[in-house]
Amino acid sequence: MSGPSSMRTPLGRVRNLGSSHSGTTDFWRQRLTAVAMALLIVPVIVVILMLIRSNHAGATQILSSIPIAIILVLFIIASTWHMRIGMQIVIEDYVHNEKIKLASVMANNFFCFAVALASIYAILKLSSGV
């Protein structure tokens, strides 16, 4: 007897789809952003410690370094992407009204994009010395 070892359909196994039929894309993207944030957190903490007692001129001088600005922008992108995925999963799991769910997911995407855009703008403005 060669019975199936799982309850998944052969097509589901080939496509790597779970019970929600959406696959594991969000799962892996959230893990990827978590690893990126874990790798970037030490340099970000060092930059924050350097900025603690700085005035605007000192912060501009520290942030005018291209590697520091790149590290901060990468951390902002990873953390806002991670936040968007996490909140979207919570919304999809716990909001049952389809209209409210759609509005919530749209608001979540807009909010995360706005936070990322404002943060990146601030870093680029400070790093350019303007």
Side-chain angles (χ1 to χ4, degrees):
M1 277 190 198
S2 61
S5 61
S6 75
M7 296 192 60
R8 295 172 64 189
T9 65
L11 182 60
R13 281 192 295 270
V14 168
R15 290 185 177 168
N16 198 23
L17 299 177
S19 62
S20 68
H21 306 291
S22 63
T24 57
T25 305
D26 284 341
F27 174 84
W28 286 112
R29 285 182 182 161
Q30 195 164 34
R31 297 316 178 265
L32 176 69
T33 56
V35 168
M37 288 189 308
L39 295 174
L40 292 169
I41 193 67
V42 172
V44 168
I45 290 173
V46 169
V47 170
I48 290 170
L49 290 174
M50 291 177 3
L51 292 171
I52 284 178
R53 298 188 188 262
S54 297
N55 57 10
H56 186 270
T60 303
Q61 183 180 8
I62 292 168
L63 293 174
S64 64
S65 169
I66 299 294
I68 289 177
I70 289 172
I71 287 169
L72 292 177
V73 167
L74 289 174
F75 186 77
I76 289 165
I77 291 169
S79 60
T80 54
W81 193 4
H82 187 82
M83 175 177 63
R84 187 194 68 78
I85 294 169
M87 283 307 301
Q88 182 171 336
I89 291 169
V90 169
I91 291 167
E92 289 172 350
D93 286 348
Y94 294 107
V95 177
H96 301 294
N97 184 316
E98 290 301 318
K99 290 180 183 178
I100 295 174
K101 185 186 296 188
L102 179 63
S104 299
V105 168
M106 290 171 56
N108 177 49
N109 288 337
F110 176 76
F111 177 75
C112 293
F113 181 75
V115 167
L117 192 63
S119 301
I120 291 169
Y121 174 75
I123 295 298
L124 293 178
K125 186 169 181 175
L126 282 172
S127 68
S128 67
V130 177

